[in-house]
Amino acid sequence: REQAQLKASVVEEDTEEWQKDSSFAGLERVGGVDLSYVKGDDTNACASLVVLSYPALEVLYEDCRMVAVSAPYVAGFLAFREVPFLVEALQRLEQEKPELKPQVLLVDGNGLLHPRGFGVACHLGVLTDLPCIGVAKNLLQVDGLVKDELHKEQIRSLRRGGDSFPLTGTSGGVLGMALRSYDNSSKPVYVSVGHRVCLETALHLVKSCCRYRIPEPIRQVQQQGAE
């Protein structure tokens, strides 16, 4: 019920001035968030937040706290387990360095590309009211989307960094985009809308944040969590 109530607040379109400009003029800070678990332990995790400058993608702020995760893992409800810790990290930033608050968040996970159309990127976006984008490494198999031979053929058709194709479910809706994020990576990432951003803008921004396969805000936050 709570998920359905929150989902009603998701905004699937651009709401910010910087989103209207193809070069994202006015965008200065991009955040990345992730919860990384201690190996072999699904209760102790590092809740990490980084803020990078844009377009230079240099680290302006880092926060990593060990947290005890008590909510059980239930498929499709991961956000209830993880989002509270990411919200706390953003609240700490707002108290300590409000001038570094990110203007958009890249989230390691999905947004609308989710069994109920409300993944972790949507959940975090609604709770923080920040523009959010989901970027996943693996395809979530929902609404008829499967990693079949056709999907693999579409991936092979992505010739160079920046190429993409839409992820169209059997219901006819486009749930996200598969993006070849840079030339040397044959594996795509899966981009979906979280909150207060349209899919075209989300894709364009993720592309602009990629030096490697994983966009820099998420790559940096995962490196921090691994340390």
Side-chain angles (χ1 to χ4, degrees):
R1 273 205 314 274
E2 187 183 339
Q3 199 175 49
Q5 284 170 346
L6 290 169
K7 184 187 173 187
S9 301
V10 171
V11 177
E12 299 177 37
E13 56 199 42
D14 292 342
T15 60
E16 309 301 294
E17 276 301 313
W18 59 263
Q19 294 165 333
K20 295 173 185 171
D21 187 306
S22 62
S23 64
F24 298 134
L27 178 61
E28 296 173 353
R29 295 173 308 283
V30 180
V33 290
D34 186 38
L35 204 73
S36 50
Y37 292 87
V38 174
K39 203 164 190 171
D41 180 350
D42 63 357
T43 56
N44 288 300
C46 178
S48 303
L49 162 68
V50 298
V51 182
L52 306 187
S53 63
Y54 188 88
L57 303 177
E58 290 168 348
V59 177
L60 302 174
Y61 176 91
E62 293 178 298
D63 180 25
C64 179
R65 299 280 174 105
M66 291 306 296
V67 296
V69 182
S70 57
Y73 171 74
V74 181
F77 295 96
L78 179 68
F80 287 93
R81 183 173 156 85
E82 298 191 346
V83 160
F85 302 110
L86 303 177
V87 171
E88 283 174 13
L90 285 156
Q91 287 170 339
R92 278 196 298 274
L93 165 60
E94 207 148 354
Q95 285 162 2
E96 294 165 15
K97 297 271 177 124
E99 70 280 6
L100 294 181
K101 181 179 176 180
Q103 293 159 279
V104 59
L105 280 175
L106 269 55
V107 182
D108 179 33
N110 293 290
L112 298 179
L113 180 57
H114 179 269
R116 281 170 302 283
F118 193 74
V120 63
C122 297
H123 203 127
L124 187 62
V126 169
L127 291 183
T128 61
D129 203 31
L130 282 170
C132 278
I133 299 167
V135 185
K137 293 185 280 293
N138 298 301
L139 177 67
L140 193 60
Q141 304 196 8
V142 297
D143 193 18
L145 292 173
V146 283
K147 264 189 148 167
D148 57 7
E149 200 45 51
L150 172 62
H151 185 75
K152 290 172 185 167
E153 184 55 44
Q154 286 178 302
I155 289 171
R156 285 193 287 272
S157 76
L158 303 176
R159 297 284 180 213
R160 56 182 178 272
D163 288 355
S164 63
F165 63 84
L167 301 164
T168 306
T170 48
S171 62
V174 175
L175 303 178
M177 300 291 288
L179 167 69
R180 181 165 180 162
S181 40
Y182 91 128
D183 285 343
N184 293 352
S185 175
S186 57
K187 289 182 178 176
V189 292
Y190 298 95
V191 179
S192 57
V193 168
H195 185 51
R196 294 179 60 181
V197 63
C198 76
L199 185 56
E200 185 185 359
T201 299
L203 183 72
H204 183 37
L205 180 64
V206 170
K207 262 194 282 199
S208 75
C209 288
C210 286
R211 290 175 176 162
Y212 304 96
R213 180 189 172 212
I214 306 300
E216 211 57 17
I218 293 176
R219 200 178 77 84
Q220 291 284 351
V221 86
Q222 288 177 337
Q223 278 187 341
Q224 185 187 330
E227 288 164 12

